[in-house]
Amino acid sequence: MNLLNIASDDLPESSLEQSMSAVAAAIADPSRVSMLCALMDGRAWTATELSAVAGIAPSTTSGHLSRLLSNGLILCLTQGRHRYYRLAGREIAGLLETLMGVTINPGTSAVSRTPRHLRHARTCYDHLAGEIAVKIYDFMQQEGWLEPGGAALTPAGKTHFLHLGAVLNPLSRRKACCACLDWSERRFHLGGDAGAALLTLFRQKAWIAITPGYREVTFTARGKIALQRQFGVMNP
């Protein structure tokens, strides 16, 4: 009995390899890459806005969006007569982050080539990334807020999140907490539901300023004070 033949026969017409190639081809266009990068800020964008950021005519935008939709990279949300587009999920954001890291930081170089403003602090879909995020993660580890490996918050960590006002979702189907490898720092920052809750808190308390369409995060004067007091991050 040839197990390889059985496995091959059981595969659907669109094999894993073909599906991967289709996704790669969908990404492999400068205009579509520009759209995907814009959607990394976590917002929903209109086709007109995406055509502007990609620098293409509105008449050609629908074809690009259809390509991204058909390959599961984005979703279309309808509200009344308006249509909005956003990334299909955190996994797609993670894929794009990885591609950015491979492109900007060649494996042969030990020196980060990430633009300084992005390396300092940026959003990664729904959580914070960059140098500041790594420092926050290190603080949480040192203070015992995280279980070994960063798979969950400790009781002390949950208490501190409650004290800060970071609302966790006990019914979330995603990971409650996880260690995400930061592609610019090559160290871990906080992901999962806890990471999203922390970024939401920073926004609600106006500790950060984010320009729509850009991933760069700027800490306000209040935010810098909070980073020092709450997370021991000096001179953010």
Side-chain angles (χ1 to χ4, degrees):
M1 180 181 294
N2 192 323
L3 296 178
L4 290 177
N5 288 338
I6 293 177
S8 178
D9 291 341
D10 288 341
L11 284 175
E13 183 177 350
S14 178
S15 67
L16 175 61
E17 292 83 358
Q18 291 172 328
S19 297
M20 291 174 65
S21 297
V23 170
I27 296 175
D29 178 273
S31 297
R32 292 195 287 272
V33 167
S34 295
M35 293 179 182
L36 291 171
C37 287
L39 294 174
M40 283 287 286
D41 71 353
R43 295 189 312 138
W45 292 55
T46 66
T48 301
E49 291 170 332
L50 290 172
S51 68
V53 77
I56 58 176
S59 58
T60 63
T61 302
S62 60
H64 287 298
L65 291 174
S66 295
R67 186 75 175 272
L68 295 174
L69 281 166
S70 64
N71 284 281
L73 294 168
I74 63 173
L75 299 174
C76 180
L77 310 174
T78 302
Q79 187 171 347
R81 294 181 300 173
H82 302 286
R83 289 185 176 183
Y84 299 89
Y85 299 88
R86 67 183 308 161
L87 290 184
R90 292 175 295 274
E91 296 80 5
I92 304 302
L95 170 63
L96 296 173
E97 274 270 296
T98 300
L99 286 174
M100 291 174 186
V102 170
T103 302
I104 296 177
N105 296 286
T108 56
S109 174
V111 179
S112 175
R113 299 183 183 180
T114 308
R116 177 60 193 167
H117 65 284
L118 286 178
R119 181 175 178 182
H120 183 66
R122 64 182 181 275
T123 56
C124 177
Y125 193 60
D126 64 356
H127 62 270
L128 190 67
E131 180 183 1
I132 297 299
V134 167
K135 289 182 177 179
I136 291 174
Y137 186 84
D138 288 345
F139 172 85
M140 291 182 173
Q141 280 189 313
Q142 293 168 6
E143 295 298 313
W145 293 22
L146 300 171
E147 297 285 355
L153 291 172
T154 62
K158 292 179 181 178
T159 298
H160 282 291
F161 263 59
L162 180 63
H163 175 73
L164 287 170
V167 181
L168 300 170
N169 181 7
L171 301 178
S172 176
R173 302 177 68 177
R174 67 186 298 188
K175 292 181 179 179
C177 184
C178 66
C180 291
L181 183 62
D182 195 292
W183 58 259
S184 64
E185 299 303 299
R186 303 306 170 109
R187 293 159 62 198
F188 293 117
H189 64 246
L190 185 67
D193 180 58
L198 205 58
L199 180 60
T200 297
L201 173 73
F202 285 9
R203 282 175 161 154
Q204 291 174 341
K205 289 185 174 290
W207 289 353
I208 58 175
I210 303 176
T211 302
Y214 294 87
R215 300 177 60 207
E216 177 183 359
V217 170
T218 302
F219 281 86
T220 63
R222 292 172 56 187
K224 291 179 180 180
I225 293 173
L227 282 177
Q228 293 179 13
R229 288 180 176 176
Q230 305 294 343
F231 304 102
V233 179
M234 306 301 293
N235 302 316

